């Protein structure tokens, strides 16, 4: 949710920290701040409301020297966005400064006790409580910073990734995590911190992904020292990250979102590489080879996810039930975790998350594990928490996704779910061989098909100008296209702030039709499949009420094209693969409407890329 950056070494810390904040700004952009210890052992904290640019402007005439520092970009939870609530936060003596991603659930109780001890608070945040608690136990019990952090973290309830510095010891950063991501980068006589690897990869490809409940002591001249909160020594697991720096730059596009939309052909090729053979007649997933019995014996599959990943799960449900003949349910992870679901050791739970850090999905995994289910993860971020928490799984391999509104991660998730359903269906013998071959070949050619669909960009951009006026949109689809309608509506809501709803087209008569008039644009996915005639009837009902219809139709359609107000033609693909094709123009529509309205496409208000808190 928030972005954490840290540096200690021979270089000036400030430029590295600011560049890192820009790379992590997709995680939160309500406010930003930096803490630096200079050569005089002065701890300088500078903060500003708004984006990183506001912070750099504020720091223009400040002392930003120092070879050690921590920085933060915030997505507000406790306390409104403001400079006083921005991180880093000082301790009362101003000897310590802390940055934090997560939520301290029992902060109010701790704060009340600390106020009784005479400690004064300068912000409304839960984070300040933690740094004040660390200093209080440090002084009261005459502890080192590490010992005080251990004692303090043992008392708090909640999720956190923290970094803390002490001006009296300018060669050390203490970092810790629980249910929030934190990565340590190891360079030559220098160390880096990040919420993910993006601020680090420019300087080193050696990283340590801190495990849940661990503390890292980062000290110049020594190896990184990792231990549990209780002080138990932990093995230092150094991994090599393989991220192209160009993947996290805009590459000439106006926005990351547009770049990521246009990356989808290459991304899906990467997603399928090594999994669909050269002849395009077989799908191989290593997870299905390694855990064949657990997957083949599944009596039920439950998909847990949030947001866009939940929409991908709805498509996965249809694929799994069609190809594998296994009952499949799709649950919001946030609801699943707070009821008493019926889960047994005969179930497979598939957890889907782009970031691999979604708090509700992680909690759902833990609940399902406790009930004996086998857990399969579908994730993009290598080394993140969800892949480490699951029994097995599949990475989607679409590269870093910076735009807050998910695009290539969605199609990557749908692609992996399609391969999963095909591989499991073949292993179970529940899919006809001819159909299997047809779908595999069709899936393999999807990147080329998307290339063709992307040629509609200018057409969609022109169409978007026409509908920028709208205050409401309705998206309709049937079968495999219904989740695409949900996803299209979500994209429009997220980045243009236009109210939009997705519905199964047949449900329109059960309420939404009352809203239709000449000011209501209705996007209908009306490709030539088994539901075509029924969707045609829905369109005629909309037109009878003066609704404005934007129809996605199959190339060469000569019926709906004559009725709809606007038409976007799509190449013919198998019905089960239509979501991968139909979602592209809806992503472009949302993007261009938002641009026409002058909205911040990559950083929409109130949203962050990774929801690591409840």
């Amino acid at each position: 949710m928030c972005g954490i950056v840290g540096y200690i070494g021979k270089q000036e810390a400030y430029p590295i920290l600011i560049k890192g904040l820009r790379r992590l700004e997709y995680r939160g952009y309500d406010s930003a701040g930096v803490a630096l210890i200079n050569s005089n052992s002065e701890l300088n904290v500078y903060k500003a409301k708004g984006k990183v640019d506001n912070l750099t402007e504020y720091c223009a005439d400040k002392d930003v020297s120092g070879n050690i520092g921590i920085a933060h970009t915030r997505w507000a939870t406790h306390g409104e966005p403001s400079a006083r609530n921005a991180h880093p936060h000082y301790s009362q003596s101003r000897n310590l400064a802390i940055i934090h991603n997560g939520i301290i659930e029992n902060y109010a109780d701790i704060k009340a006790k600390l106020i009784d001890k005479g400690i004064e608070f300068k912000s409304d945040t839960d984070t300040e409580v933690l740094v004040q608690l660390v200093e209080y136990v440090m002084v009261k019990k005459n502890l080192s910073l590490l010992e005080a952090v251990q004692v303090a973290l043992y008392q708090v309830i909640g999720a956190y990734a923290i970094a803390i510095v002490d001006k009296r010891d300018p060669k050390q950063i203490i970092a810790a995590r629980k249910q929030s991501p934190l990565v340590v980068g190891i360079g030559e006589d220098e160390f880096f911190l990040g919420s993910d690897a993006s601020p680090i990869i420019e300087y080193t490809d050696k990283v340590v992904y801190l495990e849940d409940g661990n503390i890292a002591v980062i000290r110049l001249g020594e190896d990184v020292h990792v231990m549990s909160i209780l002080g138990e020594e932990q093995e230092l697991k150094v991994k090599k990250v393989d991220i192209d720096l160009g993947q996290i730059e805009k590459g000439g596009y106006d926005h990351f979102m547009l770049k990521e939309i246009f990356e989808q052909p290459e991304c899906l090729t990467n997603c399928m590489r090594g999994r669909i053979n050269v002849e395009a007649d077989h799908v191989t997933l290593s997870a299905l080879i390694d855990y064949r019995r657990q997957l083949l014996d599944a009596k039920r599959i439950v998909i847990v996810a949030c947001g866009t990943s939940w929409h991908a799960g709805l498509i996965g449900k249809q694929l799994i039930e069609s190809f594998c003949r296994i009952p499949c349910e799709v649950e919001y992870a946030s609801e699943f975790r707070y009821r008493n679901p019926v889960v047994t050791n005969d179930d497979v739970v598939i957890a889907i998350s782009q970031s691999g850090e979604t708090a509700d999905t992680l909690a759902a995994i833990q609940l399902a594990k406790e009930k004996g289910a086998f857990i399969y993860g579908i994730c993009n971020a290598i080394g993140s928490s969800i892949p480490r928490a699951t029994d097995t799984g599949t990475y989607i391999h679409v590269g870093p996704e910076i735009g807050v509104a998910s695009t290539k991660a969605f199609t990557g998730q749908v692609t992996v779910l399609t391969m999963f359903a095909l591989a499991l269906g073949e292993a179970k013998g529940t899919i006809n061989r001819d159909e299997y071959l047809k779908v595999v070949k069709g899936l393999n050619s999807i990147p080329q098909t998307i290339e063709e669909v992307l040629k509609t960009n200018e057409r969609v951009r022109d169409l978007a100008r026409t509908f920028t006026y709208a205050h409401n949109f309705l998206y309709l689809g049937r079968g495999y296209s219904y989740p695409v309608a949900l996803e299209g509506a979500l994209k429009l809501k997220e980045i243009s702030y236009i109210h939009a709803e997705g519905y199964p087209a047949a449900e329109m008569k059960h309420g939404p039709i009352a809203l239709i008039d000449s000011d209501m644009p209705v996007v209908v996915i009306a490709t030539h499949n088994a539901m075509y005639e029924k969707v045609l009837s829905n369109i005629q009902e909309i037109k009878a009420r003066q609704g404005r219809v934007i129809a996605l139709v199959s190339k060469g359609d000569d019926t709906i094209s004559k009725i709809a107000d606007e038409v976007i033609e799509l190449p013919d693909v198998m019905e089960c693969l239509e979501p991968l094709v139909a979602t592209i123009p809806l992503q472009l529509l949302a993007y261009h409407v938002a641009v026409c309205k002058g909205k911040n496409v990559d950083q929409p208000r109130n949203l962050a890329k990774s929801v690591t808190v409840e």
Side-chain angles (χ1 to χ4, degrees):
M1 197 63 79
C2 302
I4 284 177
V5 189
Y7 175 77
I8 182 170
K10 299 168 291 185
Q11 302 184 61
E12 285 292 311
Y14 179 75
I16 295 170
L17 297 175
I18 292 297
K19 186 179 287 187
L21 287 184
R22 294 192 194 283
R23 295 249 171 90
L24 289 176
E25 200 166 17
Y26 68 91
R27 298 180 66 91
Y29 30 88
D30 295 331
S31 57
V34 60
L36 299 153
I37 302 176
N38 65 19
S39 57
N40 297 321
S41 294
E42 295 169 331
L43 176 56
N44 296 313
V45 172
Y46 307 119
K47 307 190 284 187
K49 180 181 177 180
K51 299 187 178 178
V52 176
D53 285 345
N54 300 49
L55 176 63
T56 57
E57 183 178 340
Y58 178 74
C59 290
D61 60 351
K62 304 293 190 297
D63 174 13
V64 292
S65 64
N67 305 117
I68 174 175
I70 54 177
H72 188 271
T73 181
R74 182 174 186 244
W75 187 87
T77 52
H78 296 78
E80 66 180 22
S82 64
R84 75 187 284 268
N85 287 328
H87 302 205
H89 289 288
Y90 278 121
S91 63
Q92 183 154 294
S93 71
R94 296 200 164 205
N95 288 328
L96 310 180
I98 194 171
I99 53 177
H100 168 225
N101 173 25
I103 289 180
I104 306 302
E105 295 175 8
N106 62 335
Y107 85 100
D109 290 340
I110 297 172
K111 184 174 184 177
K113 292 174 183 176
L114 291 172
I115 290 172
D116 286 344
K117 303 293 184 183
I119 293 174
E120 297 179 6
F121 286 80
K122 305 296 185 183
S123 76
D124 304 316
T125 68
D126 55 333
T127 300
E128 189 186 358
V129 171
L130 186 51
V131 73
Q132 300 289 21
L133 177 61
V134 169
E135 182 167 83
Y136 176 76
V137 298
M138 193 176 183
V139 173
K140 181 178 175 62
K141 300 187 178 183
N142 193 28
L143 302 177
S144 68
L145 178 59
L146 171 61
E147 292 167 332
V149 168
Q150 290 173 302
V151 171
L153 292 181
Y154 190 74
Q155 295 182 38
V156 303
I157 299 169
Y160 53 79
I162 65 165
I164 187 167
V165 292
D166 185 338
K167 72 178 186 181
R168 296 161 298 184
D169 188 357
K171 293 188 176 182
Q172 176 181 262
I173 300 175
I174 302 290
R177 68 150 290 189
K178 180 183 179 184
Q179 298 174 14
S180 287
L182 202 55
V183 183
V184 181
I186 301 174
E188 293 292 331
D189 298 321
E190 59 183 357
F191 300 96
F192 307 84
L193 272 176
S195 294
D196 61 38
S198 60
I200 295 170
I201 57 171
E202 184 174 344
Y203 309 100
T204 181
D205 61 358
K206 296 176 182 177
V207 302
V208 175
Y209 294 99
L210 283 189
E211 300 286 347
D212 233 24
N214 280 356
I215 297 175
V217 180
I218 304 166
R219 176 172 284 280
L220 275 182
E222 300 179 10
D223 290 334
V224 175
H225 190 52
V226 180
M227 66 191 70
S228 72
I229 292 172
L230 298 177
E232 299 159 333
E233 294 288 330
Q234 303 294 307
E235 180 185 356
L236 186 67
K237 299 177 181 177
V238 181
K239 298 188 176 181
K240 186 172 181 178
V241 292
D242 184 19
I243 300 175
D244 180 0
L245 191 59
Q247 290 180 309
I248 56 175
E249 304 293 349
K250 288 181 184 175
Y253 288 90
D254 290 337
H255 299 91
F256 281 111
M257 182 179 179
L258 187 62
K259 173 178 179 274
E260 288 157 5
I261 290 171
F262 273 83
E263 283 178 341
Q264 287 174 106
E266 179 184 358
C267 290
L268 297 192
T269 298
N270 293 337
C271 179
M272 291 184 277
R273 183 174 287 119
R275 294 162 174 171
I276 295 181
N277 62 354
V278 175
E279 295 77 18
D281 62 5
H282 188 67
V283 176
T284 302
L285 294 180
S286 59
L288 196 60
I289 296 170
D290 297 339
Y291 295 92
R292 181 181 177 88
R293 182 49 49 203
Q294 290 92 331
L295 294 169
L296 286 176
D297 289 348
K299 298 293 189 294
R300 183 182 65 149
I301 291 175
V302 180
I303 297 174
V304 292
C306 301
T308 285
S309 298
W310 186 79
H311 297 157
L314 292 176
I315 297 166
K317 167 185 168 69
Q318 296 185 57
L319 292 163
I320 290 166
E321 291 190 340
S322 178
F323 298 162
C324 309
R325 309 310 299 157
I326 301 173
C328 184
E329 301 171 13
V330 185
E331 298 260 10
Y332 282 114
S334 54
E335 292 297 314
F336 181 85
R337 65 178 293 194
Y338 282 118
R339 57 186 182 80
N340 187 21
V342 178
V343 179
T344 73
N345 56 11
D346 290 326
D347 293 333
V348 168
V349 171
I350 299 177
I352 310 175
S353 168
Q354 186 281 138
S355 68
E357 303 293 347
T358 310
D360 287 321
T361 307
L362 277 164
I365 288 170
Q366 184 59 39
L367 175 61
K369 268 188 171 181
E370 291 169 358
K371 292 177 177 289
F374 183 81
I375 315 296
Y376 191 106
I378 295 177
C379 185
N380 190 35
I382 296 171
S384 56
S385 297
I386 285 176
R388 297 202 302 270
T390 53
D391 294 305
T392 187
T394 303
Y395 285 113
I396 63 175
H397 289 313
V398 297
E401 188 177 66
I402 306 301
V404 166
S406 182
T407 52
K408 63 180 182 177
F410 174 73
T411 50
Q413 290 165 351
V414 173
T415 299
V416 164
L417 286 163
T418 307
M419 291 190 291
F420 175 86
L422 285 166
L424 186 57
E426 184 195 34
K428 288 176 64 68
T430 50
I431 183 172
N432 176 277
R433 179 66 181 171
D434 289 340
E435 182 185 12
Y436 174 83
L437 291 173
K438 189 176 179 182
V439 178
V440 174
K441 289 183 183 298
L443 181 61
N444 192 57
S445 66
I446 281 293
Q448 292 75 33
T449 306
I450 292 177
E451 290 276 13
E452 186 177 345
V453 178
L454 286 168
K455 294 175 183 177
T456 65
N457 181 47
E458 290 188 11
R459 162 81 178 126
V460 176
R461 183 182 60 200
D462 294 341
L463 187 153
R465 295 191 185 106
T466 304
F467 291 97
T468 303
Y469 72 87
H471 297 290
N472 300 281
F473 264 76
L474 189 61
Y475 286 70
L476 302 176
R478 295 292 300 268
Y480 284 101
S481 294
Y482 160 52
V484 178
L486 292 174
E487 176 62 12
L490 177 60
K491 291 282 101 52
L492 190 71
K493 281 185 281 196
E494 285 180 314
I495 63 173
S496 74
Y497 318 144
I498 294 174
H499 174 255
E501 294 296 333
Y503 267 87
E507 290 297 303
M508 180 184 66
K509 295 189 289 293
H510 295 272
I513 198 169
L515 300 172
I516 293 174
D517 58 21
S518 59
D519 292 326
M520 170 71 88
V522 183
V523 179
V524 186
I525 304 165
T527 48
H528 214 289
N529 55 41
M531 299 283 195
Y532 181 81
E533 296 297 335
K534 296 185 182 300
V535 174
L536 172 59
S537 296
N538 295 135
I539 291 174
Q540 289 168 330
E541 291 162 351
I542 296 165
K543 293 303 298 178
R545 290 156 180 84
Q546 289 76 52
R548 303 284 301 280
V549 174
I550 304 167
L552 274 58
V553 301
S554 299
K555 189 167 289 186
D557 182 285
D558 59 1
T559 302
I560 290 176
S561 297
K562 295 176 182 177
I563 303 171
D565 298 272
E566 305 287 351
V567 169
I568 300 170
E569 288 193 336
L570 302 176
D572 270 320
V573 295
M574 294 182 68
E575 187 173 352
C576 64
L577 301 177
E578 281 184 357
L580 292 167
V581 176
T583 195
I584 306 301
L586 302 188
Q587 294 172 350
L588 289 169
L589 179 63
Y591 171 80
H592 287 299
V593 169
V595 170
C596 286
K597 290 174 72 70
K599 304 304 181 186
N600 190 329
V601 173
D602 287 332
Q603 298 173 351
R605 68 187 183 201
N606 302 332
L607 296 178
K609 185 66 180 171
S610 177
V611 183
T612 59
V613 296
E614 289 187 61

